[in-house]
Amino acid sequence: MFEAVKDTTRRPGSNRYLRRLLVLCNRLLSERGEANSVSIARDLVAGFRALPDDARGAFFGHLASDFSPDPAALLASAQAYAQSPGAAQLQQVLRDAEPPRQELLRRINRLPGGTADIVAMRRALLGRLGAQPELAAVEADFLHLLGSWFNPGFLQLQRVDWRSPAHLLEQLIQHEAVHTIDGWDDLRRRLQPDRRCFAFFHPQLPDEPLIFVEVALLPDMPAAIAPLIDKTATQPPERSLRTATFYSISNCQPGLRGVSLGNFLIKRVADELKRELPQLRTFCTLSPLPGLARWLRAGAPCESLSRVRAQRLAEAQQTLLAACDGKLERLSDKASLQRLPADAAQALQRLAAIYLTQVSPTTLGDPVARFHLDNGARLERLNPLGDLSEKGLRQSFGLMVNYLYDLKKVELHHENFVLGEVAHSRQLASLL
Amino acid sequence: MFEAVKDTTRRPGSNRYLRRLLVLCNRLLSERGEANSVSIARDLVAGFRALPDDARGAFFGHLASDFSPDPAALLASAQAYAQSPGAAQLQQVLRDAEPPRQELLRRINRLPGGTADIVAMRRALLGRLGAQPELAAVEADFLHLLGSWFNPGFLQLQRVDWRSPAHLLEQLIQHEAVHTIDGWDDLRRRLQPDRRCFAFFHPQLPDEPLIFVEVALLPDMPAAIAPLIDKTATQPPERSLRTATFYSISNCQPGLRGVSLGNFLIKRVADELKRELPQLRTFCTLSPLPGLARWLRAGAPCESLSRVRAQRLAEAQQTLLAACDGKLERLSDKASLQRLPADAAQALQRLAAIYLTQVSPTTLGDPVARFHLDNGARLERLNPLGDLSEKGLRQSFGLMVNYLYDLKKVELHHENFVLGEVAHSRQLASLL
Amino acid sequence: MFEAVKDTTRRPGSNRYLRRLLVLCNRLLSERGEANSVSIARDLVAGFRALPDDARGAFFGHLASDFSPDPAALLASAQAYAQSPGAAQLQQVLRDAEPPRQELLRRINRLPGGTADIVAMRRALLGRLGAQPELAAVEADFLHLLGSWFNPGFLQLQRVDWRSPAHLLEQLIQHEAVHTIDGWDDLRRRLQPDRRCFAFFHPQLPDEPLIFVEVALLPDMPAAIAPLIDKTATQPPERSLRTATFYSISNCQPGLRGVSLGNFLIKRVADELKRELPQLRTFCTLSPLPGLARWLRAGAPCESLSRVRAQRLAEAQQTLLAACDGKLERLSDKASLQRLPADAAQALQRLAAIYLTQVSPTTLGDPVARFHLDNGARLERLNPLGDLSEKGLRQSFGLMVNYLYDLKKVELHHENFVLGEVAHSRQLASLL
Amino acid sequence: MFEAVKDTTRRPGSNRYLRRLLVLCNRLLSERGEANSVSIARDLVAGFRALPDDARGAFFGHLASDFSPDPAALLASAQAYAQSPGAAQLQQVLRDAEPPRQELLRRINRLPGGTADIVAMRRALLGRLGAQPELAAVEADFLHLLGSWFNPGFLQLQRVDWRSPAHLLEQLIQHEAVHTIDGWDDLRRRLQPDRRCFAFFHPQLPDEPLIFVEVALLPDMPAAIAPLIDKTATQPPERSLRTATFYSISNCQPGLRGVSLGNFLIKRVADELKRELPQLRTFCTLSPLPGLARWLRAGAPCESLSRVRAQRLAEAQQTLLAACDGKLERLSDKASLQRLPADAAQALQRLAAIYLTQVSPTTLGDPVARFHLDNGARLERLNPLGDLSEKGLRQSFGLMVNYLYDLKKVELHHENFVLGEVAHSRQLASLL
């Protein structure tokens, strides 16, 4: 038992303590049968939890160096497989290629609560990645396994409302990333009958929402965020609700970064809403452009652009800079922004349109735009002065976007997006 | 949509139909993003279901030949990794080593109900393995992924009793493999207050038990099966119940063969029972020896035996054969067996003791013995005339075994068993 | 504690034992506060359960004689109320009028499980009523309170299907009163997707269905019962199901006789079905006429009949009797019935039509007809040879009836029925 | 339908409107069968809800005058019963004695949600009682029926914690009557692991708690309220928790005033806690004395007191008054109270002891004391300066009481209390 281990190695983080942890890793793996994995895994997890941050770095370093495949053995079996690519050779090469730490994680995952432990370990690992780039392969193994375990077929969609347990609602308040929830009264407004909130859960983390989405049911596609999160807003009559607007999507588990959850969530929520409210005609978002100002400040780089468009881009940049005396940060001032001349306001929209349609398919693109476009949405409308909060002014000079989810076309749009083409409305086309 | 496909390829099973299925496999994999995997996967699964048996063989054949790693690419990256074993090289070699069909299965698994589809596919695959040994690597991929998805941390233990849904109880009647359940009345007896039944479920297969175990609560360790499954037996008073006897473990999912479920089940059930009934002192089994007669007929082969024991084995064989005129099948006759002279009865027990203690650690061993011993149980008692059913007489000349689960020692016993040593009681020792 | 009581009065049923029980009754009532009612009530209920049958009669006799209102006190307060009918006088007269045994039952009802105890006591009481008519007032008090506690607002409708707990399904097999369920396989047929079964539950008796109704979903209104309960019948495609036919209603609690449950059940089930299957157009029954043969044997008495109808009745009787040589029992023979001449068959239908339309509103009427007609149903169709089971032949010479529930007209029909008028279809009118 | 009614009688509250409501009352009652009661009752309830307050008074007035028993008929049947007290006569007198409005309420109660409607009607009725004392008999009928429907056997105990639905927790914040809950953070403290909260529910009002009780688990019997409701208090280790202290009981349904719920709640909660935490030794309260100051200001009236005690009472009064210059209100000032000389402090305690032990059994007694003592609790300890909130200072000069629930003696104590005797500890005895 690890209790004993702890006695002899006074300090978690000492070399001796770390060595014991690695002994546990080896024991957990070396067991031929599987009968005792639970108790060893329990000690291992407890031991890891007690590690101070830098010792965790050392621990992960050992996972990278000591629990990787043996290059020589792998090479030998790859050669055998290349010579004679039969089933036996393939099974051997797979055995030799798989980093032993993958099996280590699988055995930890057998613990009651083991999945949560692994998510927590990965969170720590992600935090070390900047300082220790050599951990990339370890991190890849974590992501690989978590992606398999958190696959959408295993996730459960759950409606969240004022009848949900308080401890769950509390997590919503805490994790809302897009438009901060200001306490219980604010939350209550967001759970009124003209709002919906859904969360994804995994059976192994029954009390921990993975991701949640907030939806406003409205007569029309909204152009600004303020009325949607106004605590005192009155509710329109139910029969007038034709539009479901996804206005906030928040991840709750930093340890699951990179595991795609959101795209499935939106489609399942749309299906769910349609079943409940057949009168819904439109599914759209009201989304921020978190990267716009940054991109403009960087000089609006754009990889490949037709000559005509490149010229329009240059003109619009000029017009906008002229209107703010070359100081883009002025556009983050509400009053200045509201006084912006019409041509400059137009120029700003045109720049945003180019940014969204031309840059999104590249890695320079806006993360929110990439998320929805890759997900099969269509770029529908730009909304100037849509978000006058400090954050909205700073990130995108107040601009917001509606992405439209036409459920019959999401597959088509997605395939086109992968090929570099962004589906967009006539309004957007006219701006280009 | 596959609807269209079906129109043009009149016959499921035709070459054209099969080719379309493989196109779907490629489409499902080639999608860079993941947005459309669900609809493609749905068509693929529907298409597979419609395949006749021999066409399934062909389909799996293509999974083996077309969705294996590329030997040349793998060899190249293995060489790069051998030369410079960094994170980037490792990630590349892993990408090149993983058979693409693994990702194919992961994407099918995203479907609602996809896990059940994969279990059903594997069932079909296992049925083809005899005729097509080249499918071994495909089967290994199925087993690898199912082992990860059905890991014990994801499984839910559920008590089954007379309050359980009828559709679940019906499956128990159907799947009971050890001692047939003879209709609803018989089942009812097995769910009386002095009995327990538990099943493991997976969240993705909520209506399908994976495996279940039947337990009899008794004053003492039982020596025969008949009284345990007697429909009319009276129940002892609750306070006298000191022994929990596992008398039947049955798998319900042929498609999960080889995914270890039973060992975790026994320990979790024991924990559960202890919580409910703290007066329980003993956890044991009453188990068959399905391989004994077969082993004796094969001449009682035994890999390594001390000289003394080898001699005893030979003597016991002689005594037993003498008692049945060299015709072992006579011992499968109830009347003959009951008339067996004391020395021959003793010889039979000695042979069984050698079989269980010396042969179990090897692949020649009895499968039930291997299961419990590897699981950490101790060989406790031989019970002559313990199972006088036709099956019991045929398989083991009526002998039954009690394995004892001493929860404090299961880890130790398991580790010793892996080293080839079988934990056993004094009764067994005296027979050796 | 009653334990003590039992010690000193060896024999439950002895005078002494009975006297102790009555002491407990008085103690339960005399408590001014309510703090101890539970433990006293528990002893009282245990004491009652142990009573042999005849001693129960004596116990109920004491409830009648000793726990009735005091006539003198009641007369005095009734006089005071008559003189000056104020609130205070009224409250006094109510206190004096209420039989103390009502409060006794209310205090027993506080017990966990107390409601079930009272239902069981009433069952025993109903069994004594024939021999002890003086218990009528006691029985009225039981019925009064149970009617209040089992009021439809407190009842919960629950769908019963193959997913329901086995212990519940077992009760259905046991209690089905109209068309016997022949074991689990038969039950399974009745729970197929084209069948529905619903039960009412009371929160205090969570495991005991009060009443259940079986429904067949069919393309058309059925004319015979045999195809409906045929275990091997195939199921019509779901889209063709336009008619919901209630073909069996069974009470499960003899102790609730006279508490009306069935009428509410039918309407709530119809509402429930309409929600689930909007394509349903017709709600009807396929019902027996349990009283027809008896009525005919009694000479077809009918209180008030127009001259014309009385003559038709007489003629029809004559025709029918002629066809069976004056031996009505011959019509209970399947072969004879099937050979009946057309005029006699017509006469039988006419007699049934008169019986149902003219006699139903009176106490001579058929109980099933009274139930549905009072419930607002319309008499829709007679079905000769609809039930050729031994019971159907004996009770109604094979005739069955469809009652139609037109949900928009049930109130109107009910009100008319109370005034003596039976709603009926043209087919029925043509027979009159 | 009442819709039609509303059209013709423009104003709810007009005489015509009221007359229509009474017509509905009569229709609901006059229906011989019961088939239509639901739709009529629904109209009646909707009509009542629309009534302005004074018109409600008029409506209840009609319930009093028009739906009371007929004095003449009742007198006649009472005479018949007095002459010949048989079952038939008794049933007749019961029919004549029961106010028809009772059956009216029973039929309203058949509505889905009808029970909640009746509770709401009673709430309105209670509000009119002061102005219209003639409604006392109507109110008695409501109480009678609600007492029967909300009997403890029908109530469900439910634990309330941080996993409970937010809408339920919100009601706790709103209804807490003893020690106000100051928002969600405060509530959270009261639902920490060393606290318990339980509520009673009725199956017909599934979302509405009827009453709830808050419990602190502590090492010892507490002497002051402040540490118990301190949001920042640390939690003692679980194994040290030996005492369960009921520190707040709050009714949530004004319409159920007078229906006894609390006494059953305390005992069931105590049982529940004992099951969960067998180490609990003591069940007690920390309770206010809401009537003490009022009683002292009224001159400390006491119906019957031995000569010795009367003298002590007089002396204590004198001492106390002397200490505050005859101005009792000074004792409601925290600073003055904390400086009170020891003899005056002692006198205050003695007065409280006399108040609690001698006055409680009479109608002059403290309501909280009467509740717990009648419930079988023992008066255990007086706690000076136990509640220094503004309310505590004003009502009882800071004094608080512990009542002890010795579950083995509650019946005995209750019976003695009914006879006028208050169970108390030695500490209390020494003060007398």
Side-chain angles (χ1 to χ4, degrees), chain A residues 162-163 167 170 188 207, chain D residues 162-163 167 170 188 207:
Chain A
W162 198 238
R163 307 183 69 86
H167 81 99
E170 196 176 33
R188 203 186 172 170
D207 288 340
Chain D
W162 197 239
R163 305 184 71 87
H167 82 99
E170 195 176 33
R188 204 184 172 171
D207 289 340

Side-chain angles (χ1 to χ4, degrees), chain B residues 336-369:
Chain B
S336 315
L337 191 67
Q338 287 171 327
R339 282 193 312 263
L340 203 65
D343 64 339
Q346 170 80 358
L348 177 59
Q349 284 195 56
R350 174 163 290 168
L351 288 165
I354 293 171
Y355 174 60
L356 291 171
T357 58
Q358 310 301 315
V359 185
S360 292
T362 74
T363 50
L364 292 172
D366 189 86
V368 171

Side-chain angles (χ1 to χ4, degrees), chain C residues 84-325:
Chain C
S84 159
Q89 292 79 1
L90 176 52
Q91 288 179 264
Q92 185 58 46
V93 82
L94 282 179
R95 271 193 295 275
D96 290 336
E98 191 186 90
R101 60 189 166 248
Q102 286 198 13
E103 183 61 18
L104 194 72
L105 293 177
R106 275 190 220 102
R107 295 193 176 190
I108 292 175
N109 196 35
R110 287 177 193 161
L111 275 184
T115 309
D117 291 324
I118 292 173
V119 171
M121 285 174 92
R122 181 160 179 258
R123 186 177 181 175
L125 174 57
L126 287 171
R128 305 290 315 174
L129 215 52
Q132 292 173 269
E134 73 277 15
L135 300 182
V138 179
E139 145 56 14
D141 288 330
F142 272 89
L143 180 59
H144 174 79
L145 289 171
L146 289 173
S148 180
W149 292 329
F150 283 82
N151 98 52
F154 285 4
L155 303 186
Q156 291 157 348
L157 185 67
Q158 205 175 300
R159 183 166 165 186
V160 179
D161 58 23
W162 198 237
R163 307 184 69 86
S164 301
H167 81 98
L168 172 56
L169 297 181
E170 192 176 34
Q171 295 192 55
L172 257 66
I173 296 179
Q174 180 184 338
H175 288 296
E176 160 69 69
V178 187
H179 309 289
T180 315
I181 300 178
D182 181 22
W184 288 87
D185 291 338
D186 192 4
L187 176 66
R188 204 185 172 171
R189 169 65 193 106
R190 300 201 193 181
L191 300 173
Q192 289 294 305
D194 64 339
R195 296 301 155 86
R196 291 293 180 279
C197 182
F198 292 89
F200 261 145
F201 287 83
H202 189 276
Q204 270 291 82
L205 286 80
D207 288 340
E208 304 266 352
L210 308 181
I211 185 172
F212 62 90
V213 58
E214 290 167 78
V215 187
L217 305 176
L218 298 163
D220 300 297
M221 192 163 75
I225 189 67
L228 265 69
I229 56 176
D230 178 358
K231 282 183 228 180
T232 62
T234 55
Q235 296 174 36
E238 190 184 313
R239 64 181 183 284
S240 74
L241 305 174
R242 297 305 186 91
T243 303
T245 301
F246 301 87
Y247 69 95
S248 180
I249 301 176
S250 302
N251 283 289
C252 307
Q253 302 289 341
L256 290 178
R257 201 170 76 198
V259 176
S260 66
L261 303 165
N263 41 8
F264 295 97
L265 179 60
I266 285 190
K267 278 163 212 161
R268 277 175 66 180
V269 166
D271 284 347
E272 190 73 25
L273 287 172
K274 242 187 161 163
R275 228 193 321 275
E276 188 202 342
L277 301 163
Q279 77 262 35
L280 288 177
R281 291 284 164 270
T282 307
F283 295 89
C284 67
T285 75
L286 180 64
S287 305
L289 285 93
L292 178 66
R294 194 172 50 224
W295 178 72
L296 286 175
R297 280 195 299 270
C302 197
E303 275 168 12
S304 68
L305 221 51
S306 70
R307 211 173 47 80
V308 179
R309 280 200 182 132
Q311 190 172 345
R312 283 196 187 154
L313 171 65
E315 286 167 10
Q317 275 185 283
Q318 232 172 331
T319 309
L320 190 66
L321 286 169
C324 60
D325 294 338

Side-chain angles (χ1 to χ4, degrees), chain B residues 285-296 301 351-375 379 382 392 394-397 399-401 403 417 422:
Chain B
T285 76
L286 180 63
S287 304
L289 285 93
L292 178 65
R294 198 173 44 225
W295 177 74
L296 287 175
L351 288 165
I354 293 171
Y355 174 60
L356 291 171
T357 58
Q358 310 301 315
V359 185
S360 292
T362 74
T363 50
L364 292 172
D366 189 86
V368 171
R370 287 182 59 77
F371 173 82
H372 289 298
L373 295 171
D374 186 60
N375 216 354
L379 191 53
L382 286 175
R394 179 166 38 81
Q395 290 187 338
S396 60
F397 310 133
L399 265 180
M400 296 197 85
V401 199
Y403 298 98
F417 182 72
V422 169

Side-chain angles (χ1 to χ4, degrees), chain C residues 51-107:
Chain C
L51 281 182
D53 198 51
D54 57 337
R56 288 178 172 195
F59 175 75
F60 288 129
H62 280 284
L63 284 194
S65 56
D66 310 352
F67 293 85
S68 282
D70 172 1
L74 175 53
L75 181 55
S77 61
Q79 281 164 337
Y81 177 57
Q83 230 159 0
S84 159
Q89 292 79 1
L90 176 52
Q91 288 179 264
Q92 185 58 46
V93 82
L94 282 179
R95 271 193 295 275
D96 290 336
E98 191 186 90
R101 60 189 166 248
Q102 286 198 13
E103 183 61 18
L104 194 72
L105 293 177
R106 275 190 220 102
R107 295 193 176 190

